[in-house]
Amino acid sequence: MSENVGIVIVSHSADVARGTALMVEQMVGREVPLGWCGGDPGGGLGTSVEAIMKAIEQAWSEKGVAILVDLGGAETNSEMAIEMLPEERRDRVVVCNAPVVEGAVMAATEAASGATLEAVRRTAEELTPV
Amino acid sequence: MMIDRQARKHLFETVAQRVIAGADELTDLDRAIGDGDHGINMRRGFEAVLAAVDELSAKNLGESLKGVGTTLVMRVGGASGPLYGTLFMSLGKSLGDEVTCEQVADAFATAIEAVKARGKSDVGQKTMLDVLFPVLGVLREGGVDVTARLRATAKAAAEDTIPMRAIRGRASFLGERSIGHMDPGARSSALIVDAVADVMEGLT
């Protein structure tokens, strides 16, 4: 089991999610548990609660999981997925308010340093203009 | 009124068929101000409801509504999955098999709050809430011709979203350009209300 916070990438497009995951891996290798998904349950552009839940499982860390999303539906579906997790996991998963590509790379870099979930989220969210 | 197994099956089938029949219209509306997938998504979700309708309606009303909600969450994709899923799951939490108009109104009010929280949205932002909220008003009034008023109110309320400017969802990216188009989510809500009104007429 990894000692670092896990990162999940949720995009409407599987290509964007996969490409972002590759950029994260280039930065931190396998030091950070990583999950990604893109596409709706029919295989078109969109997001799927089931796929997000699987990606969270894949990136699971006892220190928690930070999710990076692209557009509205990805956020709503990620929040829904978190609520459907077992109760003891729900408060250890957060959706970051950050751009998906830059946010994922920054969050993963922070996570690789052993930072807490809150610190990982803060780092990603520093990218968002206030 | 009593919502038995047969009534539950009829309710879910009628709602699902109405949404599926309107899918192309919903997609056209969404193409104008969104990402053009609302009808496709809703069709996929309600086809999954139809496929499981016997299993879903075998449980009591509360559990079967939750089942419909979960199916929509898992199958619809897009933001409308969690939004409609939350609506049905919340209704399921508060309804038993024997329901009065007042209980339905109370359950519906709670469900609307759950949808608001899920979408971080409110009435007046060009969303499904702009149909659900006036429909709640009609449910609260009750009365003899409640089903006719439900249909008329839902239809008019969806049309009332045409001059609104979108604040939430993909349409909000368009800003002023979202004005002049009916909100697809408002329209799908009106379709569902219309179908439920038909079923209610058969029960009373």
Side-chain angles (χ1 to χ4, degrees), chain B residues 57-97:
Chain B
S57 46
K59 298 170 195 149
N60 64 37
L61 184 65
E63 288 304 313
S64 62
L65 283 167
K66 280 191 223 164
V68 169
T70 308
T71 305
L72 296 177
V73 164
M74 288 303 181
R75 299 301 305 163
V76 172
S80 44
L83 292 170
Y84 279 111
T86 298
L87 181 76
F88 281 92
M89 287 194 279
S90 175
L91 287 171
K93 273 186 208 159
S94 31
L95 289 177
D97 281 2

Side-chain angles (χ1 to χ4, degrees), chain B residues 111-182:
Chain B
I112 287 176
E113 290 307 311
V115 173
K116 278 186 191 173
R118 170 72 54 217
K120 303 187 185 87
S121 185
D122 211 334
V123 177
Q125 299 184 336
K126 200 178 180 97
T127 71
M128 60 194 281
L129 290 168
D130 293 309
V131 166
L132 301 182
F133 197 70
V135 162
L136 172 62
V138 176
L139 281 175
R140 286 250 186 261
E141 286 164 23
V144 280
D145 59 344
V146 65
T147 52
R149 277 181 288 123
L150 280 174
R151 271 193 288 263
T153 301
K155 184 170 189 287
E159 282 161 7
D160 286 346
T161 64
I162 294 173
M164 291 182 182
R165 178 184 167 157
I167 310 285
R168 288 290 298 162
R170 200 71 73 96
S172 65
F173 298 171
L174 295 175
E176 295 286 333
R177 283 178 291 145
S178 66
I179 295 170
H181 300 277
M182 196 189 311

